[in-house]
Amino acid sequence: MHAAALLLVSALCSATWALDNGEMRVPPMGWLAWERFRCDLDCQHDPKNCISENLFIDMADRLFEDGWRELGYVYVNIDDCWSSMKRDEKGRLQADPQRFPRGIRFLSRYMHARGLKLGLYGDMGTHTCGGYPGTTLDDIALDAQTFADWEVDMFKFDGCYSNATVQEQGYPLMSKALNATGRPIAYSCSWPAYQGGLPPKVNYTQLGQLCNLWRNYGDIQDSWDSVLNIVEWFSENQDVLAPAAGPGKWNDPDMLIIGDFGLSMDQSRAQMALWAIMAAPLFMSNDLRTISSGARSILQNKMAVIINQDPLGIQGRRIVKEKIGIDVFWRPLSKNASALVFFSRRNDMPYRYQTSLGKLNYTTGSYEIHDVFAQKTTTLKDSTPFVVSVNPTGVVMWHVSAPAKWNRRPFRRGGGRRGNAIPPVFL
Ligand SMILES: *[C@@H]1O[C@H](CO)[C@@H](O)[C@H](O)[C@H]1NC(C)=O
Ligand SMILES: *[C@@H]1O[C@H](CO)[C@@H](O)[C@H](O)[C@H]1NC(C)=O
Ligand SMILES: *[C@@H]1O[C@H](CO)[C@@H](O)[C@H](O)[C@H]1NC(C)=O
Ligand SMILES: *[C@@H]1O[C@H](CO)[C@@H](O)[C@H](O)[C@H]1NC(C)=O
Ligand SMILES: *[C@@H]1O[C@H](CO)[C@@H](O)[C@H](O)[C@H]1NC(C)=O
């Protein structure tokens, strides 16, 4: 595929320029507190759900015991509201003594003993978004060293209560300061989410040299509208965003809300499929203690995870946007394989979408198709028309293997296809 070759070249060229800390060669996977648990401080009346060490221990135990860790879900990430309202007498950040009585290093070690990793949150500004102590330019070196001393593995740097000038200095300084600690700490920058503009006024080359991942856009909420809005924004801006991603540097459309309250099963499969094909970080924000088996099986779908974690690290794109409300996304994978997502934005009934691999610009050949959620396998020639039935606000996701037989004739676009004469295969 012509487009694949071009993308591959650009991915390989830019890969050399990723932040050189060895972290996140594939998109990170794990769990993050924010969307589901927010800034719940009421440990007296809501002890199971408040932001305290118990919550992170509970989630770590679930990741460790319920088959998540083996799939790659290894990060347990603390978000806002973990710290004390005051720095200590030496000016260092400190965890809230009531809610985190054993401190952050205890949690890091708890994670490490189980093959997991700990992520922590801070803010490039005077305060965090929740009003806790922020990191001003003067605090950067000390805070980076504190995180390293606590054996933290990932740091998310939010951008409330600051301005463009401060951020322009602070985000690069923190990257340097984390590196100077000598501890590999993956670095998540919320910087572009605060820069805004359409197309975004962000230097993604620079960002890829400073950060391992970055939030480009607003926070996800527990609703299908929110997912749809994010997907639309990422697709509309894909020409800027997709080339910025690669091993060690990822666009972050925000957390997976599968297993919460806002998504149906079809919508949950859609979020999983779209995040996988966009090479997005897979940070769940849900309650792993009570998650339904349906939501769990979507999040633990092996083929979806394999597609997300493909070592080439090329971010997929929307290649078709039909007026009737069907989108097709495509992502090139290693070993000449690829992934396709047929996505319905419709609200009526399962839509029977007809196309062919040839129409999607696949070269001549015979391909093995694995349906990721139906778990069925078929073989399709590029010229064979097929029909996929896509549920409203749902997806059909395919892993497409390399063609079994290469036709050595050069690929000619357009003319010469007689696909319409062949009756379609209904899949
Ligand atoms: C710090 O940066 C240097 C140069 O880019 C790199 O070789 C080294 O691995 C980095 N160290 C850490 C701990 O990130
Ligand atoms: C940005 O914030 C810094 C620190 O609070 C302040 O000194 C500076 O004047 C601000 N710059 C602008 C353009 O608002
Ligand atoms: C973007 O950042 C890169 C790397 O830091 C730099 O070389 C380039 O000049 C920047 N581009 C613009 C338009 O500022
Ligand atoms: C990928 O496809 C090319 C033809 O485009 C072929 O030469 C190469 O051997 C294939 N690689 C793999 C790993 O199948
Ligand atoms: C297929 O390639 C042609 C020519 O480059 C392009 O115009 C068309 O948009 C492509 N279609 C898809 C689905 O990528």
Side-chain angles (χ1 to χ4, degrees):
M1 227 171 156
H2 178 61
L6 277 182
L7 279 177
L8 182 54
V9 168
S10 73
L12 292 177
C13 291
S14 48
T16 28
W17 291 100
L19 173 60
D20 190 15
N21 62 359
E23 293 290 296
M24 296 185 172
R25 305 306 295 169
V26 293
M29 298 172 65
W31 184 90
L32 204 170
W34 184 256
E35 197 291 315
R36 177 65 183 254
F37 295 95
R38 309 280 167 154
C39 195
D40 182 345
L41 302 178
D42 192 1
C43 292
Q44 198 190 339
H45 302 106
D46 198 15
K48 289 295 243 183
N49 301 310
C50 69
I51 301 301
S52 75
E53 63 177 33
N54 295 330
L55 180 67
F56 298 95
I57 288 171
D58 279 359
M59 294 308 153
D61 291 347
R62 299 279 52 82
L63 290 179
F64 183 60
E65 289 168 24
D66 297 345
W68 300 99
R69 187 189 64 147
E70 290 74 9
L71 281 162
Y73 290 99
V74 296
Y75 283 93
V76 179
N77 287 4
I78 300 171
D79 208 89
D80 204 349
C81 309
W82 61 270
S83 82
S84 164
M85 277 295 179
K86 286 216 159 61
R87 287 175 175 263
D88 73 7
E89 71 286 353
K90 289 181 176 151
R92 291 172 304 195
L93 291 169
Q94 53 184 343
D96 180 276
Q98 266 79 51
R99 293 180 287 116
F100 295 86
R102 288 175 284 189
I104 301 299
R105 183 158 49 197
F106 165 80
L107 278 179
S108 296
R109 292 194 172 164
Y110 192 90
M111 302 310 155
H112 299 159
R114 287 157 185 77
L116 302 170
K117 298 180 177 202
L118 187 78
L120 196 59
Y121 167 101
D123 188 283
M124 179 65 258
T126 56
H127 297 86
T128 71
C129 300
Y132 290 79
T135 300
T136 65
L137 294 174
D138 294 337
D139 301 317
I140 286 177
L142 177 62
D143 289 357
Q145 191 55 52
T146 304
F147 306 144
D149 292 345
W150 288 344
E151 299 168 21
V152 162
D153 304 295
M154 171 175 170
F155 177 60
K156 171 179 169 183
F157 211 18
D158 211 338
C160 280
Y161 299 106
S162 63
N163 61 39
T165 317
V166 166
Q167 293 186 355
E168 206 175 301
Q169 294 177 286
Y171 281 99
L173 280 176
M174 180 56 88
S175 185
K176 282 210 191 82
L178 290 172
N179 178 280
T181 67
R183 179 177 178 82
I185 299 177
Y187 182 33
S188 168
C189 300
S190 300
W191 192 13
Y194 290 87
Q195 282 172 294
L198 265 181
K201 291 188 197 68
V202 176
N203 184 339
Y204 280 105
T205 311
Q206 182 196 24
L207 208 56
Q209 296 166 355
L210 295 174
C211 315
N212 296 109
L213 67 159
W214 46 81
R215 284 280 311 287
N216 315 64
Y217 191 56
D219 286 1
I220 198 165
Q221 308 296 338
D222 192 3
S223 78
W224 176 242
D225 274 358
S226 175
V227 171
L228 205 52
N229 179 261
I230 289 170
V231 168
E232 200 52 33
W233 189 87
F234 272 76
S235 303
E236 289 297 320
N237 293 294
Q238 62 185 0
D239 290 344
V240 176
L241 302 181
K249 41 179 200 169
W250 310 102
N251 294 298
D252 182 3
D254 212 4
M255 294 158 272
L256 295 166
I257 54 165
I258 298 162
D260 292 320
F261 308 99
L263 302 187
S264 69
M265 282 298 124
D266 273 297
Q267 292 163 351
S268 300
R269 280 186 281 269
Q271 197 192 15
M272 188 68 187
L274 292 165
W275 263 235
I277 208 155
M278 289 193 291
L282 301 180
F283 289 121
M284 308 178 279
S285 192
N286 51 16
D287 191 341
L288 297 173
R289 298 166 299 196
T290 56
I291 190 170
S292 72
S293 59
R296 180 191 317 212
S297 72
I298 292 168
L299 289 160
Q300 294 194 347
N301 183 293
K302 271 211 181 86
M303 191 59 91
V305 168
I306 285 170
I307 290 169
N308 175 262
Q309 298 283 291
D310 187 78
L312 282 184
I314 298 172
Q315 181 173 327
R317 290 166 182 258
R318 178 159 70 187
I319 57 168
V320 176
K321 182 178 183 177
E322 305 276 14
K323 286 205 180 65
I324 47 148
I326 299 291
D327 294 353
V328 184
F329 290 78
W330 170 75
R331 177 178 174 185
L333 303 173
S334 49
K335 299 183 185 150
N336 285 342
S338 60
L340 284 169
V341 171
F342 303 92
F343 172 45
S344 173
R345 291 178 280 111
R346 297 174 68 91
N347 292 304
D348 50 358
M349 61 186 286
Y351 188 82
R352 308 218 296 181
Y353 181 65
Q354 179 169 337
T355 186
S356 70
L357 291 177
K359 276 190 185 160
L360 301 174
N361 283 352
Y362 278 74
T363 46
T364 309
S366 176
Y367 294 82
E368 195 171 279
I369 308 293
H370 182 82
D371 185 315
V372 170
F373 294 110
Q375 301 187 344
K376 284 188 304 195
T377 301
T378 19
T379 304
L380 266 185
K381 279 193 186 142
D382 65 295
S383 55
T384 310
F386 61 81
V387 171
V388 275
S389 177
V390 193
N391 289 349
T393 68
V395 289
V396 169
M397 184 179 205
W398 286 358
H399 178 276
V400 184
S401 71
K405 271 183 256 147
W406 285 98
N407 185 316
R408 302 179 65 86
R409 274 177 311 172
F411 172 52
R412 279 190 303 138
R413 290 209 166 76
R417 296 192 181 283
R418 291 191 304 274
N420 291 342
I422 310 169
V425 181
F426 287 79
L427 296 165

